[in-house]
Amino acid sequence: MSYTGFCLRTIVVVLLLVGGCGFAFAGTGGDAWLRYATLGPEQARSYGTLPATTVRLATSELLLSAQKELVRGVRGMLGRTLRVTASLPDESVIVIGTVVQFRKVDATFWPSRDLTGDAYLLSSTRLHGYDVTLILGATDRGVLYGTFAFLSRIARGESVVSLNEFQAPSASIRWINQWDNLDGTVERGYGGRSIFFEDRHVRSDLTRVTEYARLLASIGINGCTATNVNADLHVLDPDFLPQLARIAAAFRPYGVQLGVAVNVSMPKQVGGLDTFDPLDSRVANWWQNEFDEVYRQIPDFGGVVVKADSEGQLGPSVYRRSAADAANVIARALKPHHGVVFYRAFVYNHHLDWRDPKADRARAAYDIFHPLDGKFDDNVIVQIKYGPIDFQVREPASPLFGGLQKTDQSIELQITQEYTGQQRHTVFLVPMWKQVLDFDMRVNGGHTPIKDIVAGKSFHRPLGGYVGVANVGLDKDWLGNHLALANLYGFGRLAWDPLLTPEAIIDEWTRLTFGNDPGAVQKVSRIQLDSWPAYESYTGVLGLQTLTNILGSHYGPAPQSQERNGWGQWIRAEDEGLGMDRTISTGTGFVGQYSKDVQKIYETASNTPDDLLLFFHHVPYQYKLHSGKSVIQTIYDLHYDGAARAANFVCLWRSIRGYVDDDRYSEVLAQLTYQASHAIVWRDAINDWFYRLSGVPDEKGRVGQHPGRVEAEAMTLTGYTVIDVVPWEAASGGKAIVCAAAMESCTAETKFEGAAGWYEVDSQYFDQNNGVSQFRLFLNGQLVDAWPAALSLPTTEPNGDSATRHRTKGLALRPGDMIRIEGIPDSGERAPLDYIEIHPRQE
Ligand code: GCV
């Protein structure tokens, strides 16, 4: 039996070996998908006819980058150093330049299609009797993109003879937002500290910034705002601009334009005015002077992103002005310099009255921005999160995409996994983004998929496109998880070409990242493609969004945090039923914000797809889905299914050992193993919570029944005391034990009553970030295992964020054996223990 086969048969019982692994991985991930790993001899031979020489048709920073990249890539992959010549040699050659430049060499050349903007062409042709490979762009930036594409073909084992590839991006806006603070922290960043800032200064060493720009250029990204949308008021200060200019200089060789976030109140708060009213001419002058200076220092500055009247950020509502007024006053100051304003539609009231059945946060963006359609200047782009709430594991597409026909728009996607496992869970988001982009808003009864709307095609808009919140950090692998880089790669690829399938994107990424072995490519792709469905299954099914702690970390399970507060992420889970009624007929009326055709899908429960049912409708627990199964049984089943899928990722990954370097292999193994353990935490917490609320038992008898589980509070305790865990569903039975304050070590002991045999013992404990407790497991006084609680998880409390487990394998147990866990607390972490679970050995 293959290892994978074995794993698939035993996925319900998970191997959990998480002790000691953190998530600030070192390792070899820094080059991400630009590794240019040496190809095997056979593959390398197939590039035997590649010219030995390259010529660059002009001198510019971007063309120099392109040529440098070409030489670096070919040397890395094929072990050959291309000769760089200044003029066309009498031999076969790779030509790098723009179409205009090449036509000066060969006036008979006409590309088969018109190249504009960032488009490029890879073409094999003959010149002066020699074979020539052309990497041509409409602009220098297009040439750079073409060069990366050429090298990507080689890395993926594709042919580079008889080339005739034309590529043009789907949209002109392909930007990244970073949420970096000047103190060096990154809001919702899980890959380490800021690559840009430290201690309120731009870092002296910007090597990582240049490396980042190179990665971004390789996937066609042409702009990046470096500062948090919760904007720092001093970002345009005179002493800071020269520092920003250094970031712009680090981006420039790769064609990435710099932007920053500004706050609309800056004219008053730091600008010396007594107002920031956007209609006051002094305010307009202030912005004009600021940006005139910005462009003096950074002539290719791209523009700014604005978050206003949202989550505590001041906005135009202070003066009863509109979002258009606020956007336009800034846009007019940028206009002479060709800069743009991204004005975020993420504007909502987070003090909603949860008792009001008509209140609905989902309505906010459309209610506020739809009446302003046509009022924004032509260098304002309204930036819209893909769903009406906030980057949840599933939401319907924001109705605002169909609600703006005379306004430029961009879609905001979240690469950093704030609500989707924070990179401790592998969740490949491209399939989700793709569903949103393909969703047809059916505006005026026509075919208006979101990918066409944001590209400006549907309503003939000149600007528009894609913004991804990436939040990379200084960690070697940028995002804190090697597999998470597929999201950054996939964002760029989709922004370039939203017709690409998730399968094609992950195949590309996997080959570039881990090599071309077909078995390994297939298995890594399977993990990635199954990861969003798995995560959704254990964290937020049937349109419930993500049932995480929305009041704190946004990480572990805490479903009750959705309710009874002003944030409006309510799921209305009561004892008789659950779901938000957003219908026109009986609910909040949110459905009415969609076109008539889309309303027909969402207005009735029977037409609504099962996976969004509870986003739109309040139904009884026994409501039958299209699958024929009740809502409550589906909740139970999906949570078991999701946890089992996560367990299978560990098995799939193990099966590619030897195809991946040891560092990345073991780092990803640790990450997936932890994920599998946390998926069990999610499964039990959500199922227990709904069981208590609904009172409906699981038809399959699993929920609340845990064979082999011994609650820590039921063990014989020395030094440990019993506590109530908050929220209760994060711990089995709602309780855990913690080592009393005065104790240096504590023990919990139980007698084994089962049959003699080989067993595994799972110890479920809490790994807080305010100490590194040690655990030791004894069998009849013999030390059989020890591990530290050393993960980096986002809490100082025993709860759903910190719950995890450790497996001790291969124990020979006999009836009457004494199993004892010793916990040695450290600082605020009092060696908290939830339960142990004893399973017959699986192998
Ligand atoms: C930058 C969510 C996040 C915030 C973020 C906000 C936004 O609410 O939790 O951290 O703030 O979205 O997108 O502005």
Side-chain angles (χ1 to χ4, degrees):
M1 185 192 297
S2 74
Y3 193 86
T4 309
F6 166 78
C7 277
L8 285 169
R9 285 170 181 75
T10 58
I11 47 184
V12 178
V13 181
V14 191
L15 300 180
L16 298 167
L17 287 162
V18 296
C21 55
F23 293 97
F25 298 130
T28 50
D31 286 332
W33 53 86
L34 295 179
R35 297 174 67 233
Y36 301 138
T38 311
L39 298 181
E42 201 181 316
Q43 219 176 348
R45 257 195 303 279
S46 65
Y47 299 99
T49 58
L50 194 76
T53 304
T54 172
V55 66
R56 175 171 36 80
L57 297 178
T59 302
S60 76
E61 215 169 353
L62 284 167
L63 290 190
L64 277 168
S65 298
Q67 195 171 51
K68 213 167 75 186
E69 195 70 29
L70 184 67
V71 173
R72 173 176 175 174
V74 170
R75 189 191 289 138
M77 292 185 284
L78 304 176
R80 303 174 209 159
T81 301
L82 293 175
R83 292 161 59 88
V84 174
T85 63
S87 54
L88 278 169
D90 287 339
E91 61 172 306
S92 187
V93 67
I94 303 173
V95 176
I96 291 178
T98 64
V99 172
V100 172
Q101 288 155 3
F102 187 63
R103 292 204 66 249
K104 288 185 187 146
V105 175
D106 178 2
T108 65
F109 175 81
W110 282 106
S112 52
R113 293 167 66 176
D114 261 2
L115 261 67
T116 55
D118 290 337
Y120 65 83
L121 176 75
L122 306 180
S123 172
S124 306
T125 185
R126 301 272 297 168
L127 185 68
H128 306 154
Y130 297 102
D131 286 333
V132 172
T133 302
L134 300 179
I135 303 179
L136 300 185
T139 60
D140 289 358
R141 194 154 57 192
V143 181
L144 179 64
Y145 294 163
T147 308
F148 279 115
F150 180 79
L151 291 168
S152 167
R153 291 183 81 102
I154 299 178
R156 291 179 288 113
E158 286 190 9
S159 167
V160 290
V161 292
S162 308
L163 282 174
N164 185 17
E165 182 182 343
F166 169 89
Q167 284 281 337
S170 71
S172 55
I173 298 291
R174 302 180 307 281
W175 277 59
I176 288 291
N177 282 177
Q178 286 276 144
W179 289 351
D180 294 37
N181 299 312
L182 303 196
D183 65 3
T185 57
V186 182
E187 181 156 348
R188 313 297 177 189
Y190 313 103
R193 291 183 70 79
S194 170
I195 61 171
F196 302 106
F197 311 110
E198 190 60 73
D199 201 15
R200 300 201 59 79
H201 287 89
V202 169
R203 288 184 180 283
S204 52
D205 179 359
L206 292 181
T207 313
R208 289 300 295 275
V209 174
T210 304
E211 285 174 5
Y212 190 35
R214 174 172 167 257
L215 279 182
L216 296 182
S218 75
I219 48 172
I221 301 296
N222 55 12
C224 174
T225 58
T227 56
N228 191 353
V229 289
N230 291 329
D232 193 290
L233 297 172
H234 296 283
V235 77
L236 301 179
D237 280 2
D239 62 338
F240 202 66
L241 285 184
Q243 301 188 47
L244 285 181
R246 289 182 43 241
I247 299 180
F251 277 174
R252 198 166 290 125
Y254 291 98
V256 178
Q257 282 187 284
L258 175 69
V260 293
V262 295
N263 184 298
V264 298
S265 69
M266 282 160 80
K268 179 172 176 192
Q269 300 221 62
V270 292
L273 301 185
D274 59 4
T275 179
F276 64 93
D277 180 351
L279 298 191
D280 189 309
S281 59
R282 290 170 300 156
V283 170
N285 288 338
W286 187 86
W287 286 112
Q288 190 63 65
N289 290 336
E290 287 299 305
F291 287 117
D292 287 350
E293 185 53 34
V294 168
Y295 279 90
R296 255 191 294 282
Q297 302 200 33
I298 310 171
D300 56 353
F301 185 75
V304 298
V305 59
V306 178
K307 171 176 176 178
D309 282 324
S310 171
E311 299 183 337
Q313 301 297 304
L314 289 171
S317 66
V318 170
Y319 301 96
R320 297 185 183 281
R321 307 298 187 203
S322 73
D325 296 328
N328 292 345
V329 70
I330 302 174
R332 284 168 200 163
L334 286 162
K335 176 93 176 169
H337 308 286
H338 311 291
V340 294
V341 175
F342 296 87
Y343 198 95
R344 297 176 87 225
F346 186 62
V347 179
Y348 71 102
N349 170 9
H350 67 273
H351 299 290
L352 285 177
D353 180 3
W354 58 269
R355 293 170 205 81
D356 177 359
K358 298 290 177 192
D360 188 359
R361 167 173 167 182
R363 295 188 55 116
Y366 187 97
D367 281 347
I368 294 166
F369 284 83
H370 171 66
L372 299 175
D373 192 19
K375 299 207 163 77
F376 291 94
D377 280 11
D378 63 4
N379 59 333
V380 176
I381 299 156
V382 172
Q383 181 167 316
I384 307 168
K385 288 193 182 185
Y386 67 81
I389 300 289
D390 190 7
F391 298 137
Q392 301 298 289
V393 71
R394 187 183 291 272
E395 296 180 44
S398 169
L400 187 57
F401 292 113
L404 297 178
Q405 300 180 27
K406 292 173 273 177
T407 304
D408 295 327
Q409 317 180 25
S410 60
I411 186 168
E412 185 177 317
L413 301 170
Q414 201 182 36
I415 296 158
T416 189
Q417 296 170 228
E418 174 185 355
Y419 285 99
T420 50
Q422 303 186 353
Q423 279 104 280
R424 298 178 185 93
H425 292 237
T426 286
V427 183
F428 180 52
L429 293 164
V430 167
M432 180 223 271
W433 298 338
K434 178 81 178 159
Q435 280 189 14
V436 174
L437 292 169
D438 287 348
F439 187 78
D440 190 348
M441 299 301 285
R442 298 178 211 180
V443 179
N444 306 327
H447 175 60
T448 53
I450 287 175
K451 58 178 179 268
D452 287 354
I453 294 177
V454 297
K457 286 185 197 152
S458 301
F459 307 124
H460 313 292
R461 299 299 315 167
L463 275 180
Y466 295 76
V467 178
V469 181
N471 294 356
V472 302
L474 278 177
D475 282 4
K476 181 79 177 147
D477 60 11
W478 301 97
L479 287 170
N481 168 357
H482 297 292
L483 299 187
L485 279 166
N487 287 325
L488 181 56
Y489 181 84
F491 169 78
R493 297 294 288 131
L494 268 189
W496 185 274
D497 181 2
L499 297 179
L500 286 171
T501 62
E503 290 76 13
I505 290 174
I506 203 60
D507 183 82
E508 280 180 10
W509 174 83
T510 307
R511 288 172 187 280
L512 297 172
T513 305
F514 294 118
N516 290 306
D517 175 79
V521 170
Q522 195 244 350
K523 283 172 185 148
V524 174
S525 301
R526 263 180 65 195
I527 293 174
Q528 293 275 20
L529 290 170
D530 200 31
S531 59
W532 173 48
Y535 189 78
E536 180 180 24
S537 297
Y538 59 79
T539 64
V541 296
L542 302 178
L544 283 173
Q545 305 159 65
T546 315
L547 298 181
T548 186
N549 176 3
I550 68 148
L551 301 176
S553 62
H554 300 184
Y555 181 59
Q560 71 289 83
S561 70
Q562 324 282 311
E563 311 280 41
R564 296 179 191 82
N565 57 53
W567 289 93
Q569 286 186 225
W570 312 314
I571 56 169
R572 304 282 196 218
E574 322 286 351
D575 50 8
E576 97 305 343
L578 76 173
M580 263 297 273
D581 182 354
R582 293 188 156 104
T583 60
I584 304 166
S585 48
T586 56
T588 68
F590 169 72
V591 173
Q593 297 184 337
Y594 291 97
S595 66
K596 292 275 177 254
D597 286 350
V598 174
Q599 287 175 18
K600 282 185 204 141
I601 305 174
Y602 294 141
E603 178 64 10
T604 58
S606 56
N607 279 354
T608 304
D610 287 349
D611 55 22
L612 279 173
L613 179 76
L614 303 176
F615 192 90
F616 287 105
H617 301 280
H618 186 82
V619 297
Y621 286 99
Q622 294 294 6
Y623 179 87
K624 288 277 184 295
L625 298 169
H626 294 110
S627 64
K629 217 190 264 185
S630 70
V631 163
I632 187 68
Q633 192 57 41
T634 303
I635 290 176
Y636 296 150
D637 287 354
L638 283 176
H639 283 80
Y640 275 89
D641 179 60
R645 285 170 179 217
N648 193 43
F649 298 158
V650 179
C651 300
L652 283 167
W653 185 257
R654 283 204 160 121
S655 71
I656 67 164
R657 181 171 206 156
Y659 294 100
V660 176
D661 52 275
D662 289 349
D663 282 354
R664 287 188 301 167
Y665 174 79
S666 50
E667 286 161 1
V668 172
L669 180 62
Q671 177 264 310
L672 291 174
T673 305
Y674 165 77
Q675 175 173 358
S677 82
H678 202 224
I680 291 179
V681 172
W682 270 97
R683 178 196 76 190
D684 290 351
I686 303 298
N687 279 346
D688 287 355
W689 194 72
F690 277 115
Y691 178 35
R692 184 182 279 192
L693 204 58
S694 68
V696 183
D698 170 23
E699 283 167 8
K700 298 180 185 159
R702 298 155 302 184
V703 176
Q705 306 297 321
H706 302 287
R709 185 173 292 189
V710 184
E711 297 293 346
E713 57 273 22
M715 296 165 81
T716 305
L717 307 181
T718 309
Y720 266 122
T721 55
V722 178
I723 58 157
D724 288 326
V725 169
V726 181
W728 64 267
E729 67 274 12
S732 188
K735 295 188 186 305
I737 57 172
V738 292
C739 203
M743 302 297 294
E744 285 183 5
S745 96
C746 301
T747 60
E749 193 166 41
T750 187
K751 187 191 282 182
F752 177 68
E753 310 276 13
W758 286 101
Y759 287 87
E760 293 157 350
V761 175
D762 290 333
S763 303
Q764 182 82 11
Y765 63 103
F766 298 90
D767 192 340
Q768 304 161 199
N769 62 14
N770 51 346
V772 179
S773 309
Q774 306 286 328
F775 289 97
R776 304 205 288 169
L777 187 75
F778 295 86
L779 180 58
N780 297 326
Q782 177 192 351
L783 178 66
V784 291
D785 202 358
W787 67 97
L791 297 175
S792 170
L793 298 168
T795 182
T796 55
E797 300 294 329
N799 59 27
D801 295 341
S802 52
T804 187
R805 54 169 54 189
H806 174 85
R807 168 159 291 186
T808 305
K809 291 201 277 187
L811 286 183
L813 298 184
R814 307 283 179 263
D817 278 352
M818 297 305 293
I819 298 171
R820 175 159 52 90
I821 293 206
E822 181 187 11
I824 302 162
D826 177 45
S827 188
E829 185 184 82
R830 309 304 301 167
L833 186 69
D834 188 0
Y835 61 81
I836 64 167
E837 227 166 56
I838 305 168
H839 305 285
R841 187 175 158 191
Q842 296 302 309
E843 292 163 76

